């Protein structure tokens, strides 16, 4: 199947010319709207401060209720999700399309051998596979690791041998050192190699070996409107500590409840950063500008932004029945950096798709646009509000302040109490229920249920990260906080060096010591001349009384025991 040229599609050219990106935090219109809102709040607080605070509390409670109801509807819809139909595809099929696999790595020299080993086990013809290892030009450590592994470097289109399906692509200087910028550089190679599908894996990913074949079979059974398949992400180190357990259960609910609900309801899906399988033609259709800039290089969650652009262009995103195992963060410091990047990226994505609200609403649909922005912006906003209401609750129970009581009139108080009780109990039930259900089906990790009670602590820690992310966005100090990997490699049983079984009759070879090496031998000391071994006295033999002989009654004969059954031969 031929691929459209980058400039051949008029709708794509129009979209690339007008689609905004995250290089600017706030547009002029958004900045003006923020200033007007802050000015109105300041003026109202000057004249009616108590009424202003009460109205703000009521607005926050209404926001909580709407967000909770929307997430509840989406989660319930995800329970009855039916994945798309799939055609069985065999590895020897000569009509298999050319598939590209992008592996963006940065400062991952310790993970390179594991990543190459896992990707090399993918079940797909090597002559139809293009695996591109994306490394920055100044990442000398990772480049040296690639050279030690003998991975060839990309020499240009059309010069790839069948044995060189895995190549290193050096990212040139000039752009931001981010994952989306590296993938944009590789996108030009993907188009020149005439690949029909492309997927992305991170350094710690362990995809199922037949994941590419499943994706091709699903794409073949679907219409061209299906642009992306998102595989499930899970963790192999879920029981390391309470941090990994909560990450594991969060991913399990997200990929088995929440995303299926979005797909079933036809809402835009914020994609995950890995294990996305795309049609290359659809990516070119929604590219930001000519030249194949598909991903926004300035967006910290470029996957969520791409999912919104695909929905705007009329494409669908479905879930793939395949799992990619990942490594969960094992420390709260790693969680902090990761959450700062995610929450800042969600804010960027929401602000990008609200710069021209009327046009975005018309192209995406009013309901879909409202739901998407409520979900993508609602997460960070909820984490910003949670510590404030927790502090109000604690201060009230300690001081019984009437000032706090005045902030919650009857119309606000009862919905607030119901939301606090039902909402927290509902979240705890979902966590425990999913943990127990997963333990019964596959993992058998019932001991992780106790960690679900620490979810509130994790959410407060994420609130701290969200405040830092907002500060970095406002001050222009946004950076790509990289997540370190390799903490749980010892817990990955499949990729340990396994001992091969010894053949029958095997004995260890005896090698003589090298010349000059003195082997240690225990010193033999001669006994003294008058020494004799001590003789221990023999214990006396124990005397047992003879057993009493029982007399047989007259006329009674001894019972004859049947002979034992013949021994059956052992089963083959």
């Amino acid at each position: 199947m031929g691929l459209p040229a980058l400039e051949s599609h008029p709708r794509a050219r129009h979209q690339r010319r007008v689609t905004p990106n995250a290089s600017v935090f706030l547009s002029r219109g958004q900045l003006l709207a923020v200033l007007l809102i802050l000015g109105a709040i300041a003026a109202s607080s000057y004249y009616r401060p108590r009424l202003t605070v009460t109205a703000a509390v009521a607005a926050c409670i209404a926001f909580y209720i709407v967000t909770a109801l929307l997430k509840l509807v989406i989660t319930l819809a995800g329970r009855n999700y039916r994945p798309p139909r799939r055609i069985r595809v065999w590895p020897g099929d000569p009509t298999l399309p050319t598939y590209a696999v992008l592996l963006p790595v940065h400062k991952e020299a310790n993970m390179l051998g594991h990543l190459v080993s896992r990707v090399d086990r993918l079940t797909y013809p090597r002559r139809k596979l293009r695996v591109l290892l994306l490394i920055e030009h100044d990442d000398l450590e990772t480049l040296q690791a690639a050279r030690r592994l003998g991975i060839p470097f990309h020499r240009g289109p059309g010069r790839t041998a069948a044995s060189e399906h895995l190549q290193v692509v050096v990212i040139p200087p000039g752009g931001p050192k981010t994952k989306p910028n590296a993938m944009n550089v590789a996108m030009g190679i993907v188009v020149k190699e005439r690949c029909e599908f492309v997927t992305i894996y991170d350094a710690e990913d362990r995809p199922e070996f037949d994941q590419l074949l499943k994706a091709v079979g699903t794409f073949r059974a679907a219409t061209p409107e299906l642009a992306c398949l998102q595989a499930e992400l899970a963790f192999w180190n879920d029981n390391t500590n309470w941090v990994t357990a909560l990450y594991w259960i969060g991913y399990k609910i997200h990929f088995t409840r929440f995303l299926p609900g979005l797909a079933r309801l036809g809402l835009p899906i914020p994609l995950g950063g890995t294990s996305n399988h795309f049609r290359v033609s659809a990516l070119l259709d929604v590219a930001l500008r000519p030249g194949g800039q598909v991903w926004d290089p300035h967006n910290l969650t470029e996957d969520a932004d791409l999912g919104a652009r695909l929905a705007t262009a009329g494409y669908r995103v479905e879930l793939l029945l395949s799992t990619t195992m990942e490594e969960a963060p094992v420390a709260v410091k790693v969680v902090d950096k990761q959450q700062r990047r995610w929450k800042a990226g969600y804010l960027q994505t929401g602000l990008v798709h609200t710069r021209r609200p009327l046009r975005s609403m018309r192209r995406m649909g009013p309901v879909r646009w409202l739901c998407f922005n409520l979900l993508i912006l609602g997460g960070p906003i909820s984490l910003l509000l949670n510590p404030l209401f927790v502090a109000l609750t604690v201060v009230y129970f300690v001081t019984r302040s009437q000032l706090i009581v005045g902030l919650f009139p009857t119309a606000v108080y009862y919905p607030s109490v119901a939301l606090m009780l039902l909402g927290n109990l509902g979240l705890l039930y979902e966590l425990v229920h999913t943990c127990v259900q997963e333990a019964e089906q596959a993992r058998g990790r019932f001991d992780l249920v106790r960690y679900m009670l620490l979810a509130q602590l994790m959410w407060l820690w994420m609130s701290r990260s969200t405040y830092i992310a907002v500060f970095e966005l406002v001050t222009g100090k946004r950076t790509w906080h990289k997540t370190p990997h390799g903490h749980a490699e010892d817990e990955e049983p499949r990729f340990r060096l396994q001992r091969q079984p010894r053949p029958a009759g095997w004995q260890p070879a005896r090698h003589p010591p090298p010349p000059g090496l003195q082997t240690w031998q225990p010193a033999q000391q001669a006994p003294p001349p008058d020494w004799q071994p001590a003789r221990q006295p023999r214990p006396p033999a124990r005397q047992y009384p003879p057993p009493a002989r029982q007399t047989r009654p007259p006329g009674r004969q001894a019972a004859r025991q049947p002979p034992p059954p013949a021994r059956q031969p052992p089963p083959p």
Side-chain angles (χ1 to χ4, degrees):
M1 180 186 295
L3 296 175
L6 295 179
E7 297 86 1
S8 62
H9 203 294
R11 186 181 68 172
R13 290 200 305 268
H14 176 71
Q15 290 177 356
R16 288 194 292 266
R17 186 172 61 251
V18 299
T19 300
N21 55 34
S23 59
V24 179
F25 176 49
L26 292 175
S27 63
R28 294 181 180 179
Q30 289 174 330
L31 182 60
L32 179 61
V34 170
L35 293 178
L36 290 177
I37 293 174
L38 294 178
I41 294 176
S44 178
S45 301
Y46 180 78
Y47 291 103
R48 303 289 298 273
R50 187 167 183 175
L51 179 61
T52 302
V53 178
T54 304
V57 170
C60 293
I61 297 301
F63 165 77
Y64 272 126
I65 293 176
V66 173
T67 305
L69 291 178
L70 177 60
K71 291 183 178 180
L72 178 62
V73 171
I74 293 173
T75 304
L76 293 178
R79 297 179 183 274
N80 298 322
Y81 172 75
R82 293 183 179 180
R85 189 173 64 91
R86 176 168 58 93
I87 299 177
R88 187 68 178 269
V89 178
W90 301 98
D93 187 356
T95 63
L96 284 177
T98 306
Y99 219 116
V101 179
L102 305 184
L103 307 176
V105 294
H106 185 63
K107 305 296 183 181
E108 300 281 7
N110 61 321
M111 296 293 298
L112 205 58
H114 296 279
L115 177 62
V116 172
S117 174
R118 298 161 190 165
V119 175
D120 193 59
R121 299 179 186 180
L122 291 174
T123 307
Y124 207 82
R126 296 297 180 258
R127 58 187 179 86
K128 295 293 187 70
L129 195 61
R130 300 292 182 270
V131 182
L132 303 179
L133 190 62
L134 313 180
I135 307 176
E136 294 287 341
H137 68 283
D138 56 351
D139 190 0
L140 302 181
E141 184 179 2
T142 309
L143 289 173
Q144 289 295 335
R147 290 189 178 95
R148 288 194 298 269
L149 292 175
I151 305 175
F153 283 66
H154 180 71
R155 298 172 295 178
R159 302 177 61 184
T160 302
S163 59
E164 297 180 355
H165 64 282
L166 173 62
Q167 294 185 340
V168 176
V169 177
V170 181
I171 308 302
K177 294 181 181 180
T178 59
K179 175 182 175 181
N181 180 70
M183 293 189 296
N184 285 332
V185 173
M187 194 63 190
I189 303 176
V190 171
V191 174
K192 292 178 181 178
E193 294 286 347
R194 306 190 68 80
C195 299
E196 294 188 28
F197 302 105
V198 60
T199 188
I200 306 152
Y201 293 125
D202 287 339
E204 82 280 13
D205 285 358
R206 190 182 73 184
E208 292 182 356
F209 301 150
D210 59 344
Q211 191 171 111
L212 301 186
L213 295 176
K214 289 182 178 179
V216 171
T218 307
F219 277 122
R220 284 184 172 180
T223 59
E225 285 74 20
L226 179 61
C228 176
L229 291 171
Q230 172 67 65
E232 179 186 350
L233 303 181
F235 296 119
W236 67 65
N237 60 329
D238 51 359
N239 63 339
T240 301
N241 51 31
W242 68 281
V243 177
T244 59
L246 290 175
Y247 254 73
W248 166 72
I249 198 64
Y251 264 48
K252 184 60 63 175
I253 294 175
H254 184 73
F255 284 95
T256 61
R257 300 284 192 274
F258 194 73
L259 291 188
L262 292 176
R264 187 186 178 195
L265 297 175
L267 298 177
I269 295 181
L271 301 173
T274 177
S275 300
N276 319 114
H277 300 262
F278 299 99
R279 291 187 191 268
V280 176
S281 58
L283 293 182
L284 298 178
D285 191 20
V286 300
L288 294 173
R289 64 181 63 177
Q293 191 178 21
V294 175
W295 294 272
D296 188 352
H298 302 279
N299 197 320
L300 299 179
T301 53
E302 76 290 340
D303 40 18
D305 172 71
L306 180 57
R309 281 189 278 127
L310 289 173
T312 303
Y315 290 104
R316 293 188 299 109
V317 177
E318 297 288 349
L319 300 182
L320 181 65
L321 286 180
S322 182
T323 305
T324 297
M325 304 301 292
E326 288 191 327
E327 176 190 346
V330 298
V332 292
K333 291 184 178 180
V334 181
V335 173
D336 174 57
K337 292 185 177 181
Q338 191 178 71
Q339 292 297 323
R340 282 154 65 179
R341 186 180 78 244
W342 287 357
K343 298 306 181 287
Y346 290 157
L347 291 174
Q348 284 181 315
T349 303
L351 292 174
V352 164
H353 291 276
T354 54
R355 289 180 181 175
R356 297 180 177 90
L358 296 180
R359 188 182 63 183
S360 299
M361 194 180 304
R362 182 178 65 254
R363 295 168 59 182
M364 188 181 294
V367 177
R368 302 173 72 198
W369 182 82
L370 287 174
C371 292
F372 172 77
N373 286 283
L374 185 61
L375 293 174
I376 206 72
L377 294 174
I381 293 176
S382 299
L383 291 174
L384 292 174
L385 295 177
N386 287 344
L388 303 180
F389 283 94
V390 170
L392 283 177
T393 305
V394 173
V395 171
Y396 170 74
F397 281 106
V398 172
T399 64
R400 299 291 179 174
S401 173
Q402 294 300 316
L403 180 61
I404 298 178
V405 174
L407 300 179
F408 292 85
T410 304
V412 179
Y413 173 74
Y414 287 105
S416 303
V417 174
L419 180 65
M420 180 183 66
L421 296 178
L422 298 179
N424 286 280
L425 290 177
L427 290 175
L428 181 61
Y429 169 78
E430 182 68 20
L431 294 176
V432 174
H433 173 71
T434 305
C435 186
V436 173
Q437 184 181 20
E438 185 66 18
E440 290 179 349
Q441 293 180 356
R443 304 285 293 182
R445 302 290 176 81
F446 291 97
D447 57 333
L448 301 184
V449 176
R450 67 182 186 272
Y451 294 131
M452 302 302 107
L453 302 177
L454 303 176
Q456 290 287 350
L457 296 179
M458 177 63 73
W459 295 336
L460 289 177
W461 183 256
M462 292 181 180
S463 297
R464 172 189 177 275
S465 305
T466 307
Y467 273 99
I468 299 176
V470 172
F471 175 78
E472 292 176 346
L473 284 178
V474 173
T475 57
K477 297 181 179 180
R478 52 185 176 181
T479 56
W480 187 280
H481 297 288
K482 181 184 175 298
T483 304
H485 302 125
H487 301 290
E489 287 302 314
D490 293 338
E491 301 180 20
E492 185 183 1
R494 183 171 296 184
F495 294 98
R496 292 179 183 174
L497 182 60
Q498 299 181 356
R499 186 181 300 274
Q500 299 295 331
R502 297 174 178 177
W506 178 88
Q507 293 182 357
R510 299 179 179 269
H511 300 282
L517 179 63
Q518 300 293 333
T519 57
W520 179 83
Q521 296 289 343
Q524 299 290 340
Q525 298 181 358
D530 55 347
W531 177 84
Q532 291 183 358
R535 294 184 178 181
Q536 299 293 337
R538 187 174 184 180
R542 296 185 62 180
Q543 300 294 330
Y544 295 95
R549 185 174 182 179
Q550 299 180 357
T551 59
R552 184 183 307 169
R556 183 178 177 181
Q557 298 180 0
R560 295 183 179 180
Q561 300 293 336
R567 187 176 180 181
Q568 299 294 332

